[in-house]
Amino acid sequence: MTVRLGDTAPDFTAETTEGTIHFHEWLGDSWGILFSHPKDFTPVCTTELGAFAKAKGEFDKRNTKLIGLSVDSVESHNGWAGDIAETQGQPLNFPLIGDEGHQVADLYDMIHPNANDTLTVRSVFIIGPDKKVKLTLTYPASTGRNVDEVIRVLDSLQLTADYQVSTPVNWVDGGDVIIAPAIPDDEAKTRFPKGFKTLKPYLRITPQPNK
Ligand code: BEZ
């Protein structure tokens, strides 16, 4: 099944390293990040899981729960967790789904047969508190993800959910943002009291409104 932006994130029940999880119930009112790993005991995945675990405090601050997936058993994940703690200096601190039967991988179209017909690609799904998919990313097995980039897009998604702005190229939290073109200048003056610069009628820049 293809999961696209704006779709309701498919619900599932799965065994994880933290017990059985009913996905939507587990998400509750939080944002969520579901990300897949091609296989247990693989080098890039080991570094990714250590790095996401180290950054968990940043995700907590953003009311965001992390959940990983790999197409091996929970028993295997538990063995791998020891290697992650040993080599990355950080134990796993979020659940890892055991998906030997590819139930969740198929639900989220994480196996791309022309890349590999048994292992998942490196998918990232960011899910809002309304359970809608806000962002999808797909990396090949050979390229590890960038935790800072995932946090950056999460910041953008949370900002643009609350304010009628969008974030420009290479934006990072605290940078200037773009006022939605649909907002007339009069309204923009009250919505954005810090003021704005009009470079073109469709390109108006204002300081980040929640800073
Ligand atoms: C890795 O995590 O290093 C990896 C996983 C599957 C295939 C290739 C590399």
Side-chain angles (χ1 to χ4, degrees):
M1 182 170 151
T2 307
V3 178
R4 294 182 174 161
L5 300 191
D7 291 355
T8 298
D11 197 14
F12 57 82
T13 298
E15 298 309 313
T16 81
T17 49
E18 297 188 6
T20 306
I21 280 180
H22 306 289
F23 188 50
H24 281 194
E25 187 185 309
W26 175 81
L27 282 170
D29 295 329
S30 301
W31 289 69
I33 302 186
L34 168 65
F35 53 112
S36 58
H37 299 276
K39 193 146 186 63
D40 289 8
F41 300 101
T42 51
V44 177
C45 299
T46 301
T47 62
E48 287 187 321
L49 285 167
F52 275 94
K54 275 184 194 152
K56 183 164 179 292
E58 291 301 316
F59 292 101
D60 289 344
K61 272 194 237 163
R62 291 161 174 83
N63 186 32
T64 301
K65 293 183 174 179
L66 297 172
I67 187 163
L69 173 149
S70 172
V71 292
D72 287 302
S73 65
V74 168
E75 192 185 7
S76 165
H77 293 351
N78 286 333
W80 187 26
D83 288 2
I84 293 166
E86 181 191 328
T87 63
Q88 307 305 304
Q90 168 67 51
L92 266 185
N93 49 15
F94 53 84
L96 201 50
I97 297 166
D99 198 36
E100 283 170 292
H102 299 179
Q103 179 218 350
V104 179
D106 287 344
L107 207 51
Y108 280 81
D109 196 27
M110 291 167 166
I111 295 178
H112 297 193
N114 291 328
N116 187 297
D117 57 9
T118 53
L119 310 183
T120 69
V121 291
R122 296 183 196 281
S123 300
V124 182
F125 294 91
I126 300 188
I127 298 155
D130 58 0
K131 312 287 183 294
K132 302 287 184 198
V133 174
K134 307 296 183 187
L135 176 116
T136 66
L137 292 169
T138 305
Y139 289 69
S142 51
T143 302
R145 284 158 286 207
N146 183 309
V147 178
D148 290 340
E149 171 60 5
V150 175
I151 292 173
R152 190 191 76 86
V153 290
L154 181 60
D155 283 340
S156 172
L157 290 167
Q158 293 187 340
L159 177 72
T160 59
D162 290 340
Y163 296 89
Q164 288 181 294
V165 296
S166 46
T167 58
V169 61
N170 294 337
W171 175 87
V172 287
D173 190 38
D176 288 351
V177 300
I178 294 169
I179 298 173
I183 300 180
D185 277 351
D186 282 359
E187 191 183 331
K189 280 179 195 149
T190 51
R191 278 188 185 273
F192 303 102
K194 292 174 190 161
F196 57 89
K197 271 185 276 180
T198 303
L199 304 183
K200 289 284 173 190
Y202 60 84
L203 179 52
R204 293 167 297 170
I205 307 290
T206 190
Q208 186 171 325
N210 63 348
K211 289 282 169 183

